[in-house]
Every structure is written in structure tokens, then in C-alpha cells.
Amino acid sequence: MSLKVVVDWDLCQDHGQCAFAAPEVFEIGEDGRMHVLIEEPDESLRSKVEDAADVCPVQAIRLEG
Amino acid sequence: MAQRVLVVGAGMAGLRSAEGLRAHGYADEILVVGDESWAPYNRPPLSKEALHGDLSHDRLVFRVRANASDVTWRHGVSATSADLAARTVTLSDGETVSYDALVAATGVSARRLQVPGPPQTAAGRRHVIRTLDDAIGLRAALVPGAKVVVLGAGFIGCEVAATAVKLGCEVRCVAIDPYPMVRPLGPELAAELQRRHEEQGVVFHLGVGVAELVGDHHVTDVVLTDGTRLETDVVLEALGSHCNSGWLEGNDLDLADGVRTDTALRPWRESGMLDGVAVAGDIARFPNLRFDERPLRVEHWSIPTDTGRRAGAVLAAYLSGEGYDDVVAASWEPLPSFWSDQFDIRLQSYGMPGLADPDGIRVLEGDLHDECVVGYHRGEELVGVVGVGMLRVVNTYRDKVGHPTPTS
């Protein structure tokens, strides 16, 4: 089963900490908003995406699979 | 024989320690005990959006990594004492638990006002805000028109003041300091933030203390040391914290302010570092060579995660006996980080602004009266940055804070 990144956009406040933990998967765009670059990242990125979920101040990121 | 790790403290640091142990290959028993009735949850929203929105545990609870799904949790139980030589901890229910390795992650409690007065309870209209239960009690009291007196003008006090105004309360904020949040932020930014709070209706009484809390069953008035009398329906004591380290007494540790450790988070003793024990979260007083060798406690939101992971790595290596010396000696220099929301102001801090020289604080970008990034310097070194808004810009300073040891 592949990984899936799920963001609760009601919670996300664009803190951007995820983009430091997993820059391959998350970025803060020129508009100041957070964007998911890869919704179904490779297994090799699991640890980084878990780290990104951990450091999200509002705990808006969930990893499925 | 199967090993057991006992984690004392079921907050964020306890959770991250358990996950860290699993991430580093420890596969035997992990038992986490904590005095609250709740599974670990995120505390910052308690004084911010959750206080005027959804204060349900479901909304705040941390997701537990799959690797830690087999951890045993015992909520509603605290540690009363420890015998680190015998490797046992005695719990509030009378049981004595033995362990092969121990994580001390008992955090801090809200400091109470040391002035006689009505009971220190919600019924006495005296609140603190540290736990979800505290927040639920405070929320019920923050009804429109309520006269709220916030004692203390640190981040928590200012966040609650802002939230209470949004909820329609009349808010006064009392502190001995000359400006709100002045100790970490410095006078210029603090004065600017005071102005913004006042614009929104918060009334400050600064440079004064509390002389008396008036009332029999509950507080009716707060009398200040300058004689001012403030009628009140709700008092919030936001006066900082004290460490929950009493259960570790009698083990020759340095408990002067939290628990002093080395960079492997092992407790410091006169006779040397104590292996098999790690301290995580708010009570860890550790040296961070990104700044200097002086052990400091850091109550920033990022620290429970950083220390928990480090504790997990150190104890997993200790228990397996593989590569322990290398793990202990590895460089570990976390970048402290926290944020604060007050009205429409988003503050984002990296590093240790409180380490700055008094004359080392200056605006690096933007305008102090609008959005800006403020730099905190010790000598020539940037030891902290705080963004007022300008999130993208302040984030570019992350790597410039302190003097991290280069990794080869």
C-alpha cells in the first residue's frame, strides 16, 4: 500500500515547519500558503513525512498507509 | 529476558520518547505513566484557538506513530518517588515498578500566586491554564461581559487576554514587568505589542504586584500593590511554571531548576553521568552547543519532540549495547522554536532570544509598527529571531541562529 499525505486544511495555518522537515513533500509558496508537492510520496520519504507531521504546530498533517 | 522502559510523564515528551525508542529499534516493553486522565495532546491551542473554539480532546490529541501502537499507557497515575540505584519508581497508586531504562518527562506545573485568598479552584474563580481540564474550566468562565484579570503578562497571559477579548470579556492584565513579554522579547517589541493589545481593548497594569485577593468563597476583587482595586469575575494566574521533579529527589541529581543533564540527556551527578536514565521535555536542563555549554531549560514547543527523539536514541543504544558511546557523543544541537497568536499577530521565534545582550536587539527586516523580523544578538552572534508576521522571511533565518557545529 502506498503512502498518502492528508492535510486538514481547516487546521493548517501555514506555519511552514513541515517544509523544513520534508521539503520534497511540502512547500510554502510565494503566496505564503502551504502546498503539498507529492500527495503519495515514496516509502523512502516515510520518516521525513512523519517528522513533518510531528513538527506541525497545529497537528494538521496525517499520514495514511 | 525482556526489558522494560518506564516513561514517567504522558505528555508530548513522553510520547516522542516512546516513539524514539521504537524508531531506534527497541522492541520490548514500554510503559508510560502520567497524572492526567488524557492521552498526550497538543497544549498551545489551549490558550489560543481552542479556547474560543473546539476544546475537545479529539481535536487536540497527538496521533501516535504506528511503531508505538503497542506502548502501554497508564493515565491518572503519577510517580511519587524513585530509587535510581535500585531502578525502581513508586507510583501514586502504591505500586513500585522496576525498569531497565527510565525516561523522566514529568514537565512543569502552573505556578500559583503566593498571596492568601479564596480557594485555588474554578469555583474560587482562580484559574490556571496548563492542562485541558484547566482550559475547560476557564472557558466556562469566559462569558461575554465577564471581568477578567490576567495575572502575568508572558506569552500565555497575553494569548489568553487576546482570546478573552475576542470572547467579549473585559480584560485587565497585571504584571510586575514594565512591558508584556519583555523578558524574552526586549522592551521595543514588547512596547509595540502592548500598544496593539491596548488598541484591541486590553488594559494593562504594569510594574505592580498583587497585594490581596478579596473574597470568601470566590475572588471578587484584586487589590494591587499600588492600591488599585480591580473588580473581577475571573482571575487567571499566568505566572510561569515550576518543575515536576520532586519525585526524583534523594538520588544525588542536580534538581535546582529541572534536571541538569549532558547533551545525551543523562542526569548529571557529582560522580558522573547516570546511564540508563534520560530526561526529556520541559524539565530537561541541557547544554546546547549551538549557543554555549551552559545547561538551560527551554520551554519551547519544539523541545519535547527534540529531546524525546534524543532520549529514545540514547536509551535504545544503551539497552542494546550497540554503538552506545557513539550515540552519546553524537552532536545534538536542537533549534528551539515556538509561536504565539495574539489577535491577528503571529509571532514566530527561532533560537534563544532571551540570551541576547540588552543592546543586541534590532529590527532586521520590515517595520516594527507593522510586520517585521527582530534579531537578538549576543556580541556579534545572532542567538534568536522573532518574526511579527513575515513568516516566509523569518523562516529564512533558521539556519543563521547560533553557531551549529558543522556536520561532516
Side-chain angles (χ1 to χ4, degrees), chain B residues 45-173:
Chain B
L46 296 180
S47 51
K48 307 182 180 80
E49 63 271 16
L51 193 58
H52 64 80
D54 184 357
L55 257 182
S56 67
H57 180 255
D58 282 355
R59 191 77 169 169
L60 299 170
V61 67
F62 286 118
R63 281 176 293 275
V64 177
R65 286 192 184 191
N67 68 11
S69 58
D70 61 347
V71 168
T72 306
W73 297 87
R74 285 177 62 184
H75 300 294
V77 181
S78 56
T80 54
S81 64
D83 183 338
L84 302 185
R87 298 185 176 236
T88 59
V89 170
T90 300
L91 305 178
S92 53
D93 62 6
E95 191 187 342
T96 295
V97 178
S98 61
Y99 61 79
D100 298 283
L102 174 70
V103 178
T106 35
V108 297
S109 298
R111 201 156 66 81
R112 303 298 310 226
L113 183 68
Q114 299 303 310
V115 169
Q120 294 173 337
T121 61
R125 300 187 180 173
R126 295 179 62 178
H127 297 263
V128 292
I129 189 160
R130 176 70 195 166
T131 67
L132 177 56
D133 293 335
D134 293 338
I136 290 168
L138 177 62
R139 176 70 180 87
L142 296 180
V143 295
K147 294 183 173 64
V148 177
V149 175
V150 176
L151 304 180
F155 288 104
I156 302 279
C158 288
E159 288 173 358
V160 172
T163 304
V165 165
K166 277 193 210 169
L167 289 166
C169 304
E170 262 179 56
V171 182
R172 292 170 183 273
C173 186

Side-chain angles (χ1 to χ4, degrees), chain B residues 62-407:
Chain B
F62 286 118
R63 281 176 293 275
V64 177
R65 286 192 184 191
N67 68 11
S69 58
D70 61 347
V71 168
T72 306
W73 297 87
R74 285 177 62 184
H75 300 294
V77 181
S78 56
T80 54
S81 64
D83 183 338
L84 302 185
R87 298 185 176 236
T88 59
V89 170
T90 300
L91 305 178
S92 53
D93 62 6
E95 191 187 342
T96 295
V97 178
S98 61
Y99 61 79
D100 298 283
L102 174 70
V103 178
T106 35
V108 297
S109 298
R111 201 156 66 81
R112 303 298 310 226
L113 183 68
Q114 299 303 310
V115 169
Q120 294 173 337
T121 61
R125 300 187 180 173
R126 295 179 62 178
H127 297 263
V128 292
I129 189 160
R130 176 70 195 166
T131 67
L132 177 56
D133 293 335
D134 293 338
I136 290 168
L138 177 62
R139 176 70 180 87
L142 296 180
V143 295
K147 294 183 173 64
V148 177
V149 175
V150 176
L151 304 180
F155 288 104
I156 302 279
C158 288
E159 288 173 358
V160 172
T163 304
V165 165
K166 277 193 210 169
L167 289 166
C169 304
E170 262 179 56
V171 182
R172 292 170 183 273
C173 186
V174 176
I176 200 76
D177 298 317
Y179 303 103
M181 301 170 280
V182 66
R183 271 176 277 186
L185 297 182
E188 273 185 88
L189 177 54
E192 168 62 18
L193 294 175
Q194 178 184 344
R195 189 186 64 76
R196 297 192 197 186
H197 273 259
E198 287 171 343
E199 260 179 17
Q200 301 282 341
V202 178
V203 176
F204 285 94
H205 298 265
L206 297 165
V208 291
V210 174
E212 190 185 355
L213 293 180
V214 181
D216 295 326
H217 303 294
H218 59 78
V219 184
T220 58
D221 302 84
V222 179
V223 181
L224 307 184
T225 48
D226 65 0
T228 306
R229 191 180 184 101
L230 305 175
E231 199 185 320
T232 184
D233 304 307
V234 185
V235 173
L236 173 71
E237 302 177 23
L239 299 164
S241 57
H242 65 83
C243 292
N244 301 324
S245 58
W247 63 283
L248 287 166
E249 280 171 14
N251 289 286
D252 296 325
L253 308 184
D254 178 353
L255 304 179
D257 176 26
V259 186
R260 180 180 169 185
T261 75
D262 66 358
T263 60
L265 300 174
R266 298 177 299 178
W268 179 95
R269 292 177 308 171
E270 197 79 52
S271 52
M273 297 300 161
L274 180 59
D275 291 307
V277 180
V279 187
D282 289 343
I283 63 167
R285 180 159 53 96
F286 59 89
N288 186 342
L289 300 183
R290 179 186 288 270
F291 303 102
D292 56 49
E293 294 184 346
R294 187 159 54 109
L296 285 178
R297 274 189 336 103
V298 186
E299 286 186 30
H300 291 187
W301 184 80
S302 60
I303 293 299
T305 293
D306 290 328
T307 53
R309 288 175 182 167
R310 177 71 170 148
V314 169
L315 293 183
Y318 170 77
L319 291 165
S320 72
E322 287 167 28
Y324 180 59
D325 292 343
D326 290 340
V327 172
V328 165
S331 155
W332 179 72
E333 301 171 352
L335 176 64
S337 154
F338 73 91
W339 81 101
S340 180
D341 293 323
Q342 300 165 32
F343 300 110
D344 56 349
I345 311 160
R346 158 72 51 82
L347 300 173
Q348 172 66 52
S349 167
Y350 294 113
M352 301 283 284
L355 295 179
D357 302 329
D359 60 354
I361 304 171
R362 44 192 180 268
V363 175
L364 300 176
E365 313 245 10
D367 176 355
L368 187 65
H369 303 295
D370 186 16
E371 297 205 335
C372 61
V373 174
V374 179
Y376 296 78
H377 302 80
R378 181 172 59 182
E380 293 299 304
E381 181 189 6
L382 186 69
V383 288
V385 286
V386 173
V388 181
M390 297 192 91
L391 190 66
R392 275 174 61 87
V393 180
V394 72
N395 281 348
T396 64
Y397 282 88
R398 281 173 59 107
D399 298 335
K400 302 182 176 86
V401 171
H403 50 272
T405 304
T407 46

Side-chain angles (χ1 to χ4, degrees), chain A residues 8 10-11 13-17 20 28-30 32 47 50-51 54-62, chain B residues 12 16 19 42 45 49 59 62-63 65-66 301 305 309 337 339 341 346 348 350 391-392 395-396 398:
Chain A
D8 183 334
D10 288 339
L11 284 179
Q13 295 175 9
D14 306 302
H15 281 269
Q17 303 304 308
F20 293 99
I28 294 291
E30 291 294 328
S47 166
E50 285 183 333
D51 286 352
D54 282 0
V55 300
C56 173
V58 292
Q59 298 287 291
I61 300 168
R62 201 169 75 241
Chain B
M12 189 184 191
R16 298 291 185 237
E19 291 174 338
N42 200 22
E49 63 271 16
R59 191 77 169 169
F62 286 118
R63 281 176 293 275
R65 286 192 184 191
W301 184 80
T305 293
R309 288 175 182 167
S337 154
W339 81 101
D341 293 323
R346 158 72 51 82
Q348 172 66 52
Y350 294 113
L391 190 66
R392 275 174 61 87
N395 281 348
T396 64
R398 281 173 59 107

